[in-house]
Amino acid sequence: MLPIAHDRHLLDACFLGPYAENDAMLEKLVVEFLRDHVYWRRNFHPEDPPAISTRAALHPDYQEFESRMRRELHQLSAALKRSVPFHSPRYLGHMVSDLLLPGLAAQMLALPYNPNNVSEDAAPVTVDMEVQVGLQLARMVGYQDDPAQPGCAFGHLTSGGTLANYQALRLALSLKAFAPALRAARPPDIELPDDDRIGFNLAPAECIALLLRWQQWLTAQSAPDRSRWQDRLDAQRIEHRGLVDFFAQHPDISPPKVLAPITAHYSWSKGLKLLGLGRQQLELVEQKNMRLDVERLEERLEALRRAQQPVLMAVAVLGTTEYGSIDPLQDLITARNRFAQRGLGFSVHVDAAWGGYLATVFRAENGQLRTFDEVRAEFENFPAPHVHAAFSALADSDSITIDPHKMGYLPYGSGAFVCRDHRAMALLAERADYVFHEPVAENYLRRYRSLGQFIPEGSKSGAAAAAVYVTHKVLPLDHRNFGRLARQTLLSAEQFHTRALCFAREVADVVTVVIPIEPDSNLVCLAFNPVGNASVARMNAFVRQLHEELRCDPRQPLQLKEFFGSSTTLRPEIVGTDETTRLLTSLRLDPASLIAGEVNSDRLTILRHTLMNPFLTDHENGISYIGLYFEFLARRLRALTAAAK
Ligand SMILES: *Cc1c(COP(=O)(O)O)cnc(C)c1O
């Protein structure tokens, strides 16, 4: 096993640090590049004299403005002292930690240039960087990342994972509805599906093949014919007609379902509402150990196939928000391929908003996938075989969501959407995008410089794109670079897990401690029940009391908090009957006290810990914040149970 200390010296340089140890480095960078920006302005047209007089600062209006600005900034700065200390190894709460210096510096450096990544006209530099980020992420997950290849992947940034998931839905619907639209437009000489039902149920790869045949055919037409045919197709497309009209016009097909695990993030519900398909089309599939239950998924798919109910997409979550669990993506891919042959085509999207960057641990520098044994040699238990299999299967998915602002350690405002075959993106273009380009890297880049054509947003931050790009250049997305950071989080989670098992024995006289879900990644949950208590309501009240001490409280000085953690719940309708019974037994709870519909007793409240901070082990001073956290927990658990007596 590679010792944690092995990565220590690299990590020392990556962040501002818990004590802001690298303050001089950040300050130097900020000042250096701010000056650089100043000279850039002055050198634009040095013959233009300064427009603001050197005496301007003497005027009362100027001084009044400056004093007002200072006053407000002081207030802002003071207020921000109540912020959550995400940077601290005492923070184990949500999916955030310190920021990587290259990203922070690049974003600050780029801000005064204010590039707008809607298009190259407004961002001649950073729009290319955003397209490159798409390729960097594509390589990390095993998609084709050479723009000179015809089926190269494409990715772009979004405001977050929510919008990336929405973009996946939008693209899948465009692809799915393409064949029926093309049939309605009736172009001659193109081989079309026999009927709408077949067309609407093509596999994503077949939809793309049909799109390419159409584009090739169009390219061969004269210019006036081409635009006439393009208009004719556009008039038939679902994006033009709207859902109501489109399905009225195609009575043999109906609005498609989306299948997602019951543990899926609520952005999926938002996405279906936003798309206009409606929340009703989202079917949540049962889980096993918080991982999608593929048998149940296949049963659902078979039932839908028999009912001639189309399916838009099946979602796999790579790192669930609440439990960090990893769905068996490999089995979803198999199901997708099998059902496509039986006339039920759908896409597989991976919601890796949280777990995406863990792929760096599995990726060798040459882009190859690392074997199970290679990865396994670096850890105590990670990865479970199904986890390695899921990461191996990423390359076969149709699209992926990854959040640089979560495990990418980058500032908020950066999610990412990546699709496996960029040629599908033509369907999302606002302007006709039919010209069939030869697959030359330069064409690829030229096309996506009009980024606003393809993304859900309009104007967007080029500085954010620069931050992600520079970070990926400094720490390439393989196991020897960024992967060392990801490995650190997994090793911390293993330490936390091991420590939790000892801890459970140490406090067994006062509290029963259970790890309710075996962690797949770097998120570990803990359940607590005071000895002698059999009531779910009382246990929940106890855990909420504990959580009160771990949550942000703006009315109190920050320093009063020893640690920050988060809570989540286990609901029987999600966990399942057998698993709920097992949990209740292990926590010595009375099953009769779990009451459906009762606010305080219809679920189990537990603590959730995100082990993302790179300095959980302080090698310099020999401090383990994981150890300190469990000491804190032991103290609080004993105090709380004593107070209750
Ligand atoms: C966080 C998260 C999202 C949503 O991402 P935002 O960046 O918060 O919009 C979606 N899916 C999963 C699994 C997540 O963890």
Side-chain angles (χ1 to χ4, degrees):
M1 177 173 137
L2 268 170
I4 296 179
H6 176 83
D7 295 327
R8 170 184 165 192
H9 304 292
L10 170 79
L11 294 176
D12 280 348
C14 287
F15 298 91
L16 181 54
Y19 191 77
E21 294 87 339
N22 289 319
D23 61 333
M25 170 148 65
L26 181 60
E27 193 174 314
K28 228 172 82 189
L29 292 172
V30 170
V31 171
E32 177 180 340
F33 291 111
L34 181 64
R35 288 196 178 137
D36 220 29
H37 176 80
V38 168
Y39 301 142
W40 177 70
R41 289 192 177 199
R42 292 184 180 177
N43 288 326
F44 175 51
H45 275 286
E47 71 277 19
D48 296 350
I52 301 171
S53 151
T54 46
R55 287 193 319 274
L58 302 177
H59 196 278
D61 286 356
Y62 185 109
Q63 290 164 358
E64 166 68 14
F65 179 85
E66 186 183 357
S67 65
R68 282 218 307 267
M69 176 168 71
R70 278 193 169 276
R71 185 182 142 82
E72 289 306 320
L73 289 176
H74 282 307
Q75 285 187 4
L76 171 67
S77 182
L80 284 172
K81 301 301 175 288
R82 281 180 283 137
S83 298
V84 186
F86 294 141
H87 63 274
S88 167
R90 291 176 181 271
Y91 184 83
L92 309 170
H94 294 286
M95 303 169 141
V96 54
S97 181
D98 206 354
L99 297 172
L100 277 166
L101 276 178
L104 184 60
Q107 186 139 351
M108 289 163 97
L109 188 168
L111 263 183
Y113 299 86
N114 196 27
N116 176 358
N117 269 18
V118 72
S119 74
E120 65 178 323
D121 287 348
V125 179
T126 52
V127 85
D128 269 0
M129 292 182 172
E130 180 157 347
V131 178
Q132 294 296 341
V133 163
L135 295 170
Q136 291 166 332
L137 292 171
R139 182 179 165 89
M140 174 178 85
V141 300
Y143 286 167
Q144 172 60 257
D145 68 322
D146 175 3
Q149 296 301 315
C152 180
F154 168 72
H156 62 82
L157 296 172
T158 56
S159 62
T162 301
L163 223 63
N165 285 342
Y166 172 65
Q167 180 76 329
L169 286 169
R170 219 163 67 105
L171 182 60
L173 185 62
S174 262
L175 268 178
K176 190 166 245 331
F178 176 69
L182 193 59
R183 288 190 73 253
R186 273 178 284 142
D189 319 320
I190 297 183
E191 198 193 320
L192 293 168
D194 289 341
D195 60 38
D196 278 353
R197 205 169 270 156
I198 294 173
F200 203 55
N201 281 300
L202 293 180
E206 293 173 308
C207 298
I208 294 173
L210 184 61
L211 173 63
L212 294 178
R213 290 206 295 278
W214 156 252
Q215 288 178 327
Q216 258 155 345
W217 181 81
L218 265 190
T219 311
Q221 306 304 305
S222 67
D225 276 355
R226 192 184 302 149
S227 100
R228 198 166 55 79
W229 276 106
Q230 182 70 49
D231 289 347
R232 193 160 148 161
L233 170 70
D234 284 348
Q236 297 299 338
R237 288 191 46 199
I238 198 164
E239 288 81 358
H240 178 79
R241 302 194 84 96
L243 295 182
V244 174
D245 195 27
F246 183 85
F247 286 107
Q249 190 206 0
H250 300 277
D252 289 348
I253 54 180
S254 51
K257 299 269 183 196
V258 171
L259 301 184
I262 195 159
T263 50
H265 188 265
Y266 67 115
S267 52
W268 289 100
S269 161
K270 285 189 189 174
L272 277 138
K273 292 178 191 169
L274 203 51
L275 201 63
L277 275 177
R279 176 66 180 67
Q280 187 177 242
Q281 303 305 318
L282 178 62
E283 286 209 5
L284 297 176
V285 181
E286 291 91 332
Q287 55 73 40
K288 249 192 211 157
N289 300 318
M290 293 306 171
R291 301 165 203 141
L292 177 80
D293 184 339
V294 176
E295 268 175 46
R296 307 306 288 269
L297 176 81
E298 295 205 350
E299 282 167 25
R300 269 319 286 153
L301 286 170
E302 181 55 24
L304 294 171
R305 190 186 72 81
R306 283 168 192 265
Q308 300 194 327
Q309 165 63 56
V311 174
L312 182 63
M313 167 188 288
V315 178
V317 183
L318 214 74
T320 56
T321 316
E322 298 304 316
Y323 319 106
S325 45
I326 290 176
D327 286 335
L329 173 61
Q330 65 285 7
D331 298 333
L332 246 82
I333 301 282
T334 311
R336 177 196 65 190
N337 298 346
R338 219 178 43 239
F339 277 91
Q341 290 185 344
R342 301 172 62 203
L344 185 76
F346 57 87
S347 348
V348 168
H349 177 79
V350 188
D351 184 354
W354 171 240
Y357 278 89
L358 291 180
T360 54
V361 171
F362 297 88
R363 190 66 49 193
E365 282 165 295
N366 64 7
Q368 295 290 304
L369 191 76
R370 301 177 74 213
T371 65
F372 174 79
D373 291 333
E374 281 173 309
V375 180
R376 184 72 182 70
E378 298 163 2
F379 300 93
E380 290 283 347
N381 297 303
F382 185 85
H386 80 272
V387 170
H388 186 271
F391 279 90
S392 314
L394 275 176
D396 295 319
S397 65
D398 295 293
S399 52
I400 305 186
T401 291
I402 300 165
D403 267 0
H405 67 202
K406 283 184 178 167
M407 225 189 293
Y409 296 86
L410 285 160
Y412 279 119
S414 282
F417 169 77
V418 191
C419 64
R420 184 181 47 184
D421 187 334
H422 84 98
R423 294 171 299 190
M425 290 302 292
L427 291 173
L428 288 187
E430 269 300 307
R431 258 199 328 260
D433 181 48
Y434 55 82
V435 180
F436 185 75
H437 286 309
E438 288 298 307
V440 174
E442 189 42 41
N443 283 340
Y444 177 99
L445 289 176
R446 189 176 322 122
R447 182 170 187 238
Y448 292 117
R449 278 178 197 136
S450 309
L451 205 52
Q453 291 296 314
F454 302 94
I455 59 176
E457 295 112 318
S459 299
K460 67 202 288 275
S461 164
V468 185
Y469 175 77
V470 167
T471 302
H472 291 176
K473 289 294 273 190
V474 176
L475 287 174
L477 303 176
D478 58 58
H479 84 112
R480 286 221 180 272
N481 293 284
F482 197 101
R484 297 212 252 170
L485 200 46
R487 178 163 59 227
Q488 178 67 54
T489 73
L490 294 161
L491 287 169
S492 295
E494 287 192 336
Q495 265 184 23
F496 188 95
H497 185 259
T498 309
R499 187 68 194 85
L501 293 175
C502 292
F503 174 75
R505 289 191 293 274
E506 290 159 17
V507 295
D509 57 320
V510 285
V511 174
T512 307
V513 181
V514 168
I515 299 174
I517 306 128
E518 277 305 307
D520 276 346
S521 61
N522 48 10
L523 231 136
V524 188
C525 293
L526 294 177
F528 307 89
N529 184 32
V531 167
N533 172 54
S535 141
V536 169
R538 265 199 64 204
M539 178 192 109
N540 287 342
F542 180 79
V543 177
R544 272 199 302 272
Q545 216 178 344
L546 188 58
H547 179 234
E548 274 306 311
E549 309 195 6
L550 289 163
R551 68 191 292 184
C552 165
D553 178 358
R555 290 157 308 177
Q556 276 188 353
L558 200 57
Q559 287 77 3
L560 291 183
K561 292 283 165 196
E562 288 191 51
F563 281 92
F564 284 81
S566 58
S567 73
T568 184
T569 58
L570 293 167
R571 289 188 285 147
E573 59 274 27
I574 290 185
V575 178
T577 319
D578 292 354
E579 190 53 23
T580 303
T581 308
R582 192 192 65 81
L583 268 171
L584 291 172
T585 310
S586 64
L587 284 164
R588 302 183 210 169
L589 288 166
D590 176 6
S593 69
L594 187 73
I595 306 157
E598 281 290 340
V599 184
N600 291 322
S601 46
D602 64 344
R603 62 191 67 185
L604 305 179
T605 304
I606 59 175
L607 293 189
R608 163 178 174 270
H609 308 89
T610 309
L611 284 310
M612 203 181 149
N613 191 283
F615 303 101
L616 285 166
T617 302
D618 166 0
H619 298 278
E620 178 67 17
N621 305 292
I623 298 172
S624 162
Y625 285 91
I626 293 174
L628 288 184
Y629 176 67
F630 280 103
E631 281 171 28
F632 160 81
L633 270 187
R635 238 184 303 125
R636 295 315 304 154
L637 288 174
R638 288 191 188 280
L640 287 174
T641 47
K645 283 208 176 101

